[in-house]
């Protein structure tokens, strides 16, 4: 397309009848930018874009006017900025979002934007990567004219004015050094900048002191460094991953999959309330079924206060908040689910209660309705067997708080039909969530892996670490929250009950006793203002020496000589526990691709996005190295937990990575 644009513009320039050129787009938007897949694989993509912008458009002998509607993002905006003038429609949006993928605008964006909008605002746009609207773009000088009626007509009318004015190459606009420069302010705070952000600042510095071609060379060199950086590779893996997971291996999207317009949520507890909020926020009609009037009232109060907060923060208007609330119909009786296309059950985690609710669904739901459960631990195939339509049953495992967390594990039962899967996958996309398919197993993808992560975190305490050290090590690795703070937030009692169950189901896979000892003190985390930490304000953790004593006392009690544990070991033990279990999930077919696991962890478990996800991280680390580490851990005091996954061994031996497993399905 870049070449074709170059040819078309050159042809128009060579035509003596042409006085000025208007470039517009017939598509949904002006341009959403370069194809990232192309940028990942071919380094000459940007060279072509540099050629188009600098050698063809900006150097043209006749005025070139860009007519912009919809989005002009990344390379699309860089192309637009190389034009001599810009006209846009009122709905246009502009951004250089490269920083979000650990990159910089590499086709002259760092050089042209400051010349059009000034250094300060250019830095704000490029360091944050967020879009601006047409009014702001006009006020800041990015746009010459906002069209009122017909973009192309008005751009053509404006072109005749431009013929009088002549060409205006952006590179020749004066970048006044003395203007209030944001670069110094930004530099002062340089320590907190990411690599991509500080590279952007360096490019703008170059724009201030170097001739244009030299500064462009700086931009190119820094772009190439970023393109190959681990951070950008990880961010791009996450970005593509979110798209990949929507493609269900072996199933083509098709029209027969029923669309979902109305939803019934059963149970107005923590999850039901969060799910209902997410749905009305996405513009869906929701019936919330809950027998207890008191709980319904509490749920509505919670939803109202969430909406109020959104209004207060300027995210939505009060009219929109009222319209959203009007989408919700609370009811007591199950008969009101009759109209729903999808029913989401979020009642107590108890198979008998679920059985009753699914029998109700069988009775009241329309025959085409899809029935789903938010269960975290129960067997989906058992639940599906309570109905006469197991093909139309799937798990929808939302994460708490469900109106905020992006991840939904879509659980595919033995009999779940392809159409059902497609419908719920499309539904998760429509409500702005990231759906990942998981097979049926205890804990699905996310929690089954997390259990091994926690097991290691607890053993580390026994062997010599303290909770605050484990949390700090994993947080500096990039986890949003360390394991002890996470469990304090989730409620230590939840883990306790799971461990009690596990002690019966899997007596050969014990945990450290330490978290049980903490629970025995009635310390369930934030909700009791004490867990592994103290929470005097109910929210912020404070170190508690009582826990240090408890941990050290336990090690002594069971005869373990505590040793100094390095932060690196903490990270490797916890993260490779995720990786090893992830490998097992892959070979069992619970997760179809490694990237599915990565997306679960980045979007549901606070795994650092710039590291791509646990499986991607392991691939970059090298599976041979991971295998060697696991062999070392096997020799440790709880080595039994480190039986290496056969897939990991196989891939390491073949010199392959997880990314190659089922990669053709992507
Ligand atoms: P909760 O106890 O807060 O809410 C359950 C609600 O269901 C209660 O309000 C109860 O009155 C209602 N209920 C019970 N029987 C009902 C019936 N027959 N009809 C209608 N409503 C009925 O529980 P929760 O934390 O919201 O969990 C609900 C489900 O979500 C469970 O299956 C749980 O495993 C799962 N889940 C929970 C979390 C979490 O973080 N809490 C996360 C993911 C999934």
């Amino acid at each position: 397309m870049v070449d074709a644009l170059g040819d078309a513009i050159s042809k128009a320039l060579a035509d003596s009848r042409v006085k000025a050129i208007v470039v517009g787009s017939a598509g949904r938007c002006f341009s959403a930018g370069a194809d990232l897949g192309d940028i990942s694989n071919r380094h000459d993509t940007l060279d072509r874009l540099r050629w188009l912008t600098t050698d063809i458009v900006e150097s043209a002998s006749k005025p070139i006017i860009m007519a912009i509607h919809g989005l002009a993002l990344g390379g699309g905006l860089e192309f637009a900025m190389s034009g001599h003038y810009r006209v846009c429609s009122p709905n246009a949006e502009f951004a250089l979002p490269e920083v979000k993928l650990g990159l910089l605008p590499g086709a002259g964006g760092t050089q042209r934007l400051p010349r059009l909008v000034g250094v300060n605002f250019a830095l704000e746009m490029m360091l944050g990567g967020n879009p601006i609207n047409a009014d702001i773009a006009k006020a800041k000088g990015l746009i010459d004219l906002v069209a009122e009626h017909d973009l192309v007509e008005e751009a053509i009318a404006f072109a005749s004015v431009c013929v009088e004015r002549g060409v205006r190459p952006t590179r020749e606009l004066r970048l006044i050094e003395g203007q209030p420069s944001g670069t110094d302010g930004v530099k002062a705070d340089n320590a907190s900048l990411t690599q991509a952000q500080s590279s952007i600042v360096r490019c703008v510095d170059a724009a201030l002191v170097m001739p244009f071609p030299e500064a462009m060379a700086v931009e190119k060199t820094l772009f190439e460094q970023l393109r190959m950086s681990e951070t950008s590779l990880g961010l791009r893996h996450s970005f593509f991953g979110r798209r990949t997971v929507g493609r269900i291996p072996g199933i083509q999207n098709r029209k027969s999959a029923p669309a979902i317009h109305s939803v019934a949520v059963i149970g107005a507890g923590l999850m039901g309330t969060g799910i209902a909020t997410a749905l009305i926020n996405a513009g869906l009609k929701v019936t919330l079924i809950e027998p207890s009037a008191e709980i319904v009232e509490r749920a509505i109060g919670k939803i109202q206060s969430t909406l109020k907060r959104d209004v207060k923060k300027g995210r939505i208007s009060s009219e929109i908040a009222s319209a959203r609330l009007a989408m919700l119909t609370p009811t007591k009786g199950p008969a009101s689910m009759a109209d729903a296309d999808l029913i989401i059950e979020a009642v107590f985690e108890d198979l008998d209660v679920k059985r009753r609710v699914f029998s109700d669904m069988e009775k009241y739901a329309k025959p085409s309705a899809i029935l789903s459960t938010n269960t975290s631990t129960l067997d989906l195939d058992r639940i599906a067997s309570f109905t006469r339509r197991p093909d139309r049953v799937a798990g929808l495992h939302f994460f708490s708080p469900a109106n905020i967390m992006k991840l939904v594990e879509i659980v595919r039962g033995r009999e779940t039909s392809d159409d059902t899967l497609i419908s719920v996958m499309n539904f998760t996309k429509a409500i702005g969530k990231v759906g990942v398919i998981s097979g049926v197993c205890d804990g699905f993808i996310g929690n089954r892996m997390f259990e091994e992560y926690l097991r290691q975190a607890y053993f580390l305490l026994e062997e010599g670490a303290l909770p605050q050290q484990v949390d700090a090590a994993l947080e500096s690795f990039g986890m949003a929250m360390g394991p002890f703070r996470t469990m304090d937030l989730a409620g230590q009692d939840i883990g306790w009950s799971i461990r009690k169950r596990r002690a019966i189901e899997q007596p050969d896979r014990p945990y450290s006793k330490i978290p049980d000892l903490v629970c025995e003190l009635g310390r369930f985390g934030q909700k009791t203002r004490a867990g592994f930490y103290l929470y005097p304000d109910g929210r912020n953790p404070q170190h508690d020496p009582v826990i240090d004593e408890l941990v050290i006392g336990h090690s002594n009690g069971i005869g373990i000589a505590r040793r100094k544990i390095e932060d690196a070991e903490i990270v490797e033990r916890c993260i490779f526990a995720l990786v090893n279990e992830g490998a097992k999930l892959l070979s069992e077919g619970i997760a179809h691709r490694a990237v599915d696991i990565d997306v679960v962890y980045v979007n549901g478990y606070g795994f650092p996005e710039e590291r791509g996800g646990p499986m991607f991280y392991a691939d970059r680390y090298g599976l041979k190295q991971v295998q060697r580490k696991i062999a070392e851990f096997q020799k440790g005091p709880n080595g039994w937990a480190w039986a290496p996954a056969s897939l990991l061994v196989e891939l390491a031996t073949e010199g392959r990575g997880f990314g190659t497993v089922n990669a053709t399905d992507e």
Side-chain angles (χ1 to χ4, degrees):
M1 192 188 77
V2 167
D3 287 349
L5 269 169
D7 288 348
I9 291 170
S10 302
K11 212 181 267 168
L13 287 171
D15 186 333
S16 61
R17 291 165 307 168
V18 174
K19 302 286 179 245
I21 301 167
V22 173
V23 182
S25 161
R28 268 187 305 137
C29 66
F30 180 76
S31 166
D35 179 345
L36 271 171
D38 225 21
I39 282 186
S40 299
N41 304 324
R42 292 177 39 182
H43 68 89
D44 63 341
T45 302
L46 268 194
D47 280 339
R48 300 306 297 157
L49 197 50
R50 288 184 194 110
W51 161 80
L52 175 68
T53 50
T54 306
D55 300 344
I56 304 292
V57 177
E58 195 175 46
S59 316
S61 53
K62 298 171 187 177
I64 297 185
I65 297 94
M66 301 289 179
I68 303 160
H69 74 286
L71 301 173
L73 302 183
L77 178 54
E78 291 184 289
F79 171 60
M81 289 194 295
S82 71
H84 303 129
Y85 303 93
R86 278 154 296 279
V87 180
C88 75
S89 56
N91 75 353
E93 282 190 45
F94 308 86
L96 291 177
E98 289 80 355
V99 72
K100 297 194 175 182
L101 295 174
L103 296 170
L104 56 75
T110 64
Q111 304 303 302
R112 293 194 179 94
L113 188 62
R115 288 176 159 87
L116 289 167
V117 304
V119 169
N120 273 343
F121 193 66
L123 279 172
E124 196 180 315
M125 275 184 77
M126 292 190 287
L127 297 184
N130 296 319
I132 58 167
N133 64 25
D135 289 341
I136 295 176
K138 172 75 176 60
K140 294 289 180 185
L142 183 57
I143 292 296
D144 298 285
L145 181 75
V146 179
E148 282 171 9
H149 307 290
D150 185 297
L151 173 65
V152 174
E153 254 176 39
E154 288 173 54
I156 292 172
F158 183 65
S160 31
V161 179
C162 299
V163 171
E164 297 297 310
R165 290 191 195 167
V167 296
R168 186 186 62 178
T170 309
R171 58 189 283 182
E172 285 172 18
L173 297 180
R174 236 155 47 100
L175 223 183
I176 307 160
E177 219 177 324
Q179 72 192 53
S181 157
T183 41
D184 290 339
V186 169
K187 262 191 243 158
D189 192 25
N190 229 346
S192 62
L193 295 186
T194 62
Q195 187 189 350
Q197 288 174 323
S198 55
S199 301
I200 290 169
V201 173
R202 282 173 65 192
C203 290
V204 175
D205 278 349
L208 284 163
V209 299
M210 287 178 191
F212 185 81
E214 280 172 42
M216 282 291 282
V218 170
E219 185 193 82
K220 182 174 172 170
T221 308
L222 292 177
F223 179 87
E224 277 308 308
Q225 284 172 9
L226 291 177
R227 193 171 73 90
M228 302 311 291
S229 70
E230 286 301 315
T231 299
S232 181
L233 288 172
L235 291 172
R236 272 140 60 198
H237 177 75
S238 291
F239 177 84
F240 284 118
R242 274 192 288 272
R243 295 180 176 191
T244 305
V245 294
R247 292 194 284 276
I248 311 170
I251 306 180
Q252 297 297 320
N253 206 340
R254 54 182 170 217
K255 296 230 160 54
S256 55
I260 289 162
H261 302 291
S262 66
V263 184
V265 176
I266 308 183
L270 176 74
M271 293 309 290
T273 307
I275 294 168
T277 310
L279 300 182
I280 58 169
N281 282 348
L284 283 168
K285 274 214 280 209
V286 179
T287 306
L288 184 59
I289 303 170
E290 163 71 56
S292 151
E294 197 188 321
I295 292 177
V296 169
E297 209 169 294
R298 203 172 56 202
I300 306 239
K302 178 91 200 298
I303 294 173
Q304 278 171 331
S305 72
T306 307
L307 290 170
K308 252 190 215 142
R309 205 177 45 225
D310 286 346
V311 172
K312 209 166 153 198
K313 291 202 167 159
R315 292 191 192 127
I316 52 171
S317 65
S318 50
E319 290 77 32
I320 291 181
S322 317
R324 287 186 181 174
L325 199 59
M327 300 298 275
L328 184 78
T329 313
T331 67
K332 274 188 173 179
S336 47
M337 69 175 83
D339 290 336
D341 301 317
L342 168 71
I343 299 166
I344 304 174
E345 166 276 305
V347 302
F348 301 131
E349 188 74 335
D350 179 297
L351 201 62
D352 276 333
V353 180
K354 307 253 188 217
R355 187 200 308 270
R356 281 200 296 279
V357 170
F358 272 78
S359 309
D360 280 348
M361 292 191 202
E362 191 56 59
K363 199 154 131 201
Y364 298 109
K366 62 184 178 188
S368 61
I370 293 175
L371 316 181
S372 73
T373 167
N374 188 41
T375 182
S376 307
T377 55
L378 301 174
D379 181 348
L380 179 76
D381 291 325
R382 283 287 302 281
I383 294 177
S385 75
F386 303 150
T387 77
R388 280 196 295 272
R389 56 177 108 170
D391 57 317
R392 247 167 280 138
V393 176
L396 278 178
H397 188 222
F398 285 83
F399 286 68
S400 181
N403 52 318
I404 310 255
M405 296 294 288
K406 285 263 171 260
L407 179 66
V408 179
E409 285 176 313
I410 297 173
V411 188
R412 176 186 205 164
R414 209 171 25 233
E415 298 190 50
T416 309
S417 73
D418 290 356
D419 276 358
T420 300
L421 273 186
I422 295 169
S423 282
V424 292
M425 178 59 86
N426 291 343
F427 162 76
T428 53
K429 280 185 206 163
I431 61 168
K433 302 283 182 198
V434 183
V436 178
I437 306 267
S438 167
V440 176
C441 71
D442 195 347
F444 312 125
I445 295 173
N447 283 344
R448 198 174 118 180
M449 289 166 64
F450 203 66
E451 198 168 319
E452 299 310 316
Y453 172 88
L454 285 179
R455 196 191 306 280
Q456 289 305 316
Y458 300 145
F459 280 149
L460 283 161
L461 297 189
E462 220 168 72
E463 293 169 37
L466 290 170
Q468 52 277 15
Q469 186 201 355
V470 174
D471 279 351
L474 285 157
E475 283 163 19
S476 51
F477 171 79
M479 296 299 289
M481 210 184 259
F484 296 101
R485 283 181 59 204
T486 302
M487 292 312 287
D488 271 358
L489 178 65
Q492 293 291 346
D493 49 331
I494 293 179
W496 199 17
S497 70
I498 292 175
R499 289 191 300 277
K500 283 179 191 158
R501 181 156 62 88
R502 290 276 183 271
I504 300 164
E505 291 168 358
Q506 304 177 345
D508 54 335
R509 298 181 63 77
Y511 287 89
S512 162
K513 287 270 172 295
I514 291 172
D516 296 354
L517 298 176
V518 172
C519 288
E520 281 166 19
L521 298 174
R523 300 175 67 126
F524 294 160
Q526 288 195 13
K527 59 181 158 191
T528 57
R529 301 206 168 213
F532 275 91
Y533 299 91
L534 286 175
Y535 298 88
D537 61 356
R539 215 180 154 76
N540 293 301
Q542 266 182 18
H543 171 232
D544 187 355
V546 168
I547 292 295
D548 296 354
E549 277 168 35
L550 181 149
V551 167
I552 295 166
H554 177 71
S555 305
N556 294 340
I558 59 172
I560 289 186
R562 291 176 67 81
R563 65 185 168 94
K564 178 171 169 25
I565 299 184
E566 299 296 333
D567 288 356
E569 180 181 340
I570 293 174
V571 170
E572 285 159 359
R573 294 242 318 247
C574 293
I575 302 299
F576 294 156
L578 289 177
V579 171
N580 200 35
E581 195 62 21
K584 292 178 190 171
L585 288 171
L586 267 179
S587 33
E588 288 169 29
I590 301 288
H592 194 78
R593 297 159 294 213
V595 69
D596 292 45
I597 296 175
D598 288 335
V599 170
V600 165
Y601 264 76
V602 168
N603 296 280
Y605 290 80
F607 194 94
E609 187 161 10
E610 66 275 14
R611 295 193 192 271
M615 309 312 271
F616 184 76
Y617 177 72
D619 278 354
R620 301 296 303 168
Y621 196 97
L623 292 193
K624 270 211 169 70
Q625 279 297 98
V626 175
Q627 191 192 5
R628 215 166 285 152
K629 286 281 177 194
I630 288 181
E632 244 174 62
F633 301 150
Q634 268 188 299
K635 294 185 201 129
N638 290 294
W640 61 264
W642 284 105
S646 53
L647 179 66
L648 174 74
V649 176
E650 190 185 309
L651 293 174
T653 313
E654 290 171 10
R656 290 168 57 198
F658 291 119
T660 64
V661 179
N662 292 340
T664 47
D665 291 335
E666 289 187 16

